[in-house]
Amino acid sequence: MTKVKIKYLLEEHSKHKVGTSITVHGWVRTLRDQKKFAFIELNDGSSLASIQIIADSDLENFAEIVEKVATGAALSVTGELVKSPGKGQNIEIKASKIKIVGLCDSSYPLQKKRHSFEFLRSIAHLRPRTNSLGAVSRIRNALFMSSHKFFQDRDFLSVQTPIITASDCEGAGEMFRITTLKEGEKGSSKDFFGKPAFLTVSGQLNAEAYALSFSDIYTFGPTFRAENSNTTRHLAEFWMLEPEMAFADLKDTYKLAEDYLQYVLSELLKNHHKDLSLFNQFISKGLIDKLEHVAKNPFEVLEYTEAVSILEKAKKQFEYPVKWGIDLQSEHERYITEEHLKKPAIVINYPKDIKAFYMRNNDDGKTCAAMDVLCPGIGEIMGGAQREERHNILVEKIKAMNLDPKEYQWYLDLRRYGGTPHAGFGLGFERLIQYATGMENIRDVIPFPRAPKQIDF
Ligand code: ATP
Ligand code: MN
C-alpha cells in the first residue's frame, strides 16, 4: 500500500484520486464517537490541515478504537479516498484498517483547547504537535532550504566553520568557556587544548579565510552567546547565516542582504501560504501584506548620522538618550523602522568606536563601514561590514581594543598574502523566522531554546 504524507492528499490537484487506496501515519488530533462510526482527525506534521478518517463500526477493531484511541495517539490508517461531504476539506479517508501504533493516555497535555506559548515552552518535546509550532517548524525548514538555495544559485561555497574556538570574534566577553579541567584543577595549560577554549560567537573570522580563497562563501551554523539578556530576541544558542565576499565592499553587502531577504520571503509567500495564513490570522494581523510589501520594495538605506538626527527630532521620550556616538538601542531601532519609515532599514557607517575591530575605518576618521539591517517589530536582524583589509590599520585597531595582535596572527596574514577588500554580514536566523511569522518570542521559533536558566529538554 502506498504510504503518503497527508499534505499530498489535501493538495488542490492531488495525484491521489478519489477511489484509490492509500496508507497514512499520524497522530490523532480529535476523535468523535458517533456510535455507528467515528471521525478521527489525523495530523502527520506535513501540513497545517489534518485529514479526516471515517472509522466504520464494521472495522474488526472498532470497539477497541473508540474505547482506547484518544487525542495524541499514533495510528497507521489504510483506506479509500472518498469525497468529503463536510465543509473545509474535499477529501477524507474511509478506513479499511486502523492499526493502533501508540496509545496516548489522558494525561496528554495537548488536549483540544488553545495553550499559551509560555505553557507550550514547558512541554517543548510535545509542542511541535500543535498548529502554531508545527507551522513555525515548517517555515523554519523552508527558510533554511531557501537560504542555501539563494547562496548556492549564486555560486557561494558552503563552508562549515568550527564551533570550538580560541578567539572571541567581537573582542568582548559573553562567551561560553569549555573545559575538561576537573573541579579545583587550575591552569589552562593542563586543559584539553592547552589554552582557554570557547563556543564560537560567530564563524566570521574563519569565514574570511575561505572568502579569500573562493571569493564568495557562506557559513550557516549554531553560535553561542552567554549574554544574560532575558529578552524576546536573544538566545544563548542560535543559528547564524554568514556570507562573506572577497573583492566586495559595503554596498555589495547590503545589496546582498536585501536580495537575500526579498528572495527568501518571496519563496515563503509562494510556497507556504497556508502556514503564513495561520500567523496572519492569529498572531500578527496584516503579516502577509507586510511581507509582500517588503519582498517587492527597495529597503531604505540611511547613514547612522541621519538615523541619529531622525531620533533627535522624534517627539518621543527614549529611555536611552540619543546623541551622535551612541550605539542604537532596540527602542531606537524600532522607532526608526516602526514609526518613522514603517519598513525595514539598512543603517550604514556607524561610529567606529562602538563597532568591532575588524570593521573597515572610513576616511572621515570617525566612522567605519558597518551596516545593520533593522526590521519593524524586531530591530536588528543582520549586522555586517566591509572588513579592514589594510594590515597596519588592522594592527592598530586590534591594539586599540586591548587585544593582542599575536593572537590574531593568522587573521592578519590574510591581509599580507593577497589581501583584498572583502565584506559580509551575519543574519540571526531565528530573528528572520520571528520576522516572517510575527512570533513575539524568539524562544518559540527554535525547537529547544537555550536561554538563561532554560536548558531542560
Ligand atoms: P543585538 O544588538 O541585537 O544583541 P548584536 O549586535 O550583538 O545583536 P551581531 O553580533 O551583529 O549582533 O550578530 C549578528 C546577528 O545575530 C544579529 O543581527 C542578530 O540577528 C543575531 N543575534 C545576535 N545575538 C543574538 C542572540 N543572543 N540570539 C539570537 N540572535 C542573535
Ligand atoms: Mn548582542
Side-chain angles (χ1 to χ4, degrees):
M1 197 56 60
T2 349
K3 191 164 117 182
V4 187
K5 289 265 153 88
I6 288 167
K7 71 169 177 181
Y8 294 116
L9 304 176
L10 300 171
E11 278 174 348
E12 208 172 321
H13 302 288
S14 174
K15 67 172 189 179
H16 302 280
K17 303 289 180 220
V18 166
T20 56
S21 265
I22 46 88
T23 297
V24 293
H25 303 299
W27 291 267
V28 173
R29 286 290 175 86
T30 58
L31 182 143
R32 281 179 294 138
D33 180 8
Q34 312 276 57
K35 305 300 170 217
K36 287 219 153 349
F37 41 81
F39 291 116
I40 301 168
E41 294 284 333
L42 199 71
N43 190 287
D44 66 357
S46 64
S47 67
L48 189 59
S50 304
I51 192 139
Q52 175 152 281
I53 315 283
I54 308 147
D56 203 286
S57 55
D58 56 17
L59 283 172
E60 61 171 326
N61 58 347
F62 184 77
E64 189 192 8
I65 291 166
V66 291
E67 189 198 339
K68 292 192 186 155
V69 173
T71 299
L75 302 181
S76 169
V77 177
T78 298
E80 185 190 334
L81 289 173
V82 295
K83 248 193 139 40
S84 170
K87 49 186 172 357
Q89 75 252 348
N90 36 31
I91 216 156
E92 53 194 34
I93 299 174
K94 188 165 182 323
S96 54
K97 186 167 183 219
I98 296 182
K99 187 170 165 224
I100 302 172
V101 180
L103 287 172
C104 183
D105 70 40
S106 61
S107 66
Y108 184 59
L110 292 173
Q111 303 298 338
K112 209 182 167 200
K113 67 179 168 43
R114 275 171 79 178
H115 302 283
S116 73
F117 287 117
E118 200 177 1
F119 170 71
L120 292 177
R121 246 168 266 147
S122 75
I123 49 163
H125 58 312
L126 296 171
R127 67 178 184 166
R129 295 195 199 170
T130 62
N131 281 342
S132 50
L133 268 288
V136 163
S137 308
R138 285 183 297 273
I139 286 175
R140 186 177 172 107
N141 173 65
L143 289 170
F144 189 85
M145 294 310 286
S146 61
S147 295
H148 279 287
K149 181 148 172 45
F150 176 86
F151 288 107
Q152 291 292 322
D153 285 352
R154 281 160 189 75
D155 281 316
F156 281 62
L157 186 86
S158 164
V159 180
Q160 290 76 47
T161 50
I163 285 173
I164 301 175
T165 177
S167 76
D168 174 350
C169 179
E170 308 273 301
E174 302 181 354
M175 301 188 90
F176 287 102
R177 174 105 185 249
I178 58 165
T179 180
T180 51
L181 293 177
K182 304 280 173 301
E183 196 143 351
E185 266 185 292
K186 285 216 172 64
S188 43
S189 60
K190 283 197 230 114
D191 206 348
F192 189 89
F193 295 103
K195 56 164 143 173
F198 307 90
L199 295 178
T200 186
V201 294
S202 156
Q204 181 203 317
L205 302 193
N206 298 96
E208 284 183 49
Y210 271 65
L212 289 171
S213 303
F214 299 94
S215 288
D216 300 320
I217 63 101
Y218 65 105
T219 176
F220 190 4
T223 48
F224 307 86
R225 296 194 184 182
E227 51 200 350
N228 204 2
S229 18
N230 248 313
T231 75
T232 55
R233 307 173 305 114
H234 289 91
L235 289 164
E237 176 179 300
F238 65 100
W239 282 65
M240 185 137 68
L241 172 61
E242 296 174 276
E244 189 73 31
M245 301 176 287
F247 307 101
D249 62 14
L250 183 67
K251 189 161 184 200
D252 295 317
T253 323
Y254 64 72
K255 277 310 292 170
L256 182 74
E258 179 183 305
D259 288 350
Y260 163 80
L261 278 175
Q262 293 192 324
Y263 174 81
V264 294
L265 294 178
S266 307
E267 289 296 295
L268 200 60
L269 287 160
K270 224 180 343 179
N271 304 319
H272 289 271
H273 215 270
K274 290 220 173 80
D275 285 324
L276 286 175
S277 302
L278 175 95
F279 299 104
N280 196 53
Q281 193 180 347
F282 297 111
I283 306 287
S284 168
K285 297 253 179 308
L287 175 76
I288 290 180
D289 285 345
K290 176 188 91 176
L291 295 179
E292 268 163 2
H293 185 82
V294 170
K296 274 193 224 115
N297 294 288
F299 292 14
E300 192 83 20
V301 179
L302 88 173
E303 297 275 337
Y304 167 87
T305 304
E306 280 173 71
V308 167
S309 76
I310 290 168
L311 293 167
E312 281 172 338
K313 285 189 208 117
K315 290 186 186 55
K316 187 168 181 144
Q317 204 51 47
F318 293 112
E319 193 189 333
Y320 295 89
V322 178
K323 71 167 203 275
W324 199 97
I326 61 153
D327 201 0
L328 300 183
Q329 301 294 321
S330 165
E331 56 172 344
H332 305 137
E333 297 176 343
R334 296 185 61 162
Y335 176 83
I336 289 168
T337 56
E338 286 164 32
E339 293 177 51
H340 188 78
L341 298 172
K342 299 189 165 55
K343 61 173 180 171
I346 301 173
V347 179
I348 58 171
N349 297 326
Y350 283 74
K352 68 177 167 43
D353 295 340
I354 58 170
K355 289 290 185 186
F357 72 86
Y358 51 72
M359 298 191 180
R360 190 180 197 278
N361 282 356
N362 288 327
D363 294 340
D364 62 11
K366 293 191 302 196
T367 62
C368 66
M371 68 130 192
D372 278 357
V373 179
L374 312 179
C375 283
I378 315 272
E380 179 186 335
I381 81 165
M382 293 167 168
Q386 182 171 341
R387 319 305 184 189
E388 185 55 78
E389 85 284 12
R390 295 162 295 187
H391 186 274
N392 54 337
I393 298 180
L394 187 56
V395 171
E396 288 316 309
K397 293 190 65 143
I398 288 175
K399 287 185 185 155
M401 303 260 174
N402 284 323
L403 300 169
D404 181 1
K406 276 207 235 61
E407 292 287 318
Y408 292 88
Q409 200 49 58
W410 68 267
Y411 187 67
L412 286 163
D413 273 358
L414 299 172
R415 278 72 182 165
R416 292 168 62 205
Y417 305 136
T420 77
H422 61 288
F425 65 76
L427 160 83
F429 188 55
E430 286 74 20
R431 299 232 180 129
L432 171 68
I433 303 168
Q434 276 189 286
Y435 186 61
T437 56
M439 288 291 282
E440 175 108 5
N441 196 319
I442 197 165
R443 298 175 197 199
D444 300 326
V445 301
I446 188 163
F448 299 100
R450 270 85 179 94
K453 305 280 178 292
Q454 184 165 49
I455 194 167
D456 308 324
F457 307 100

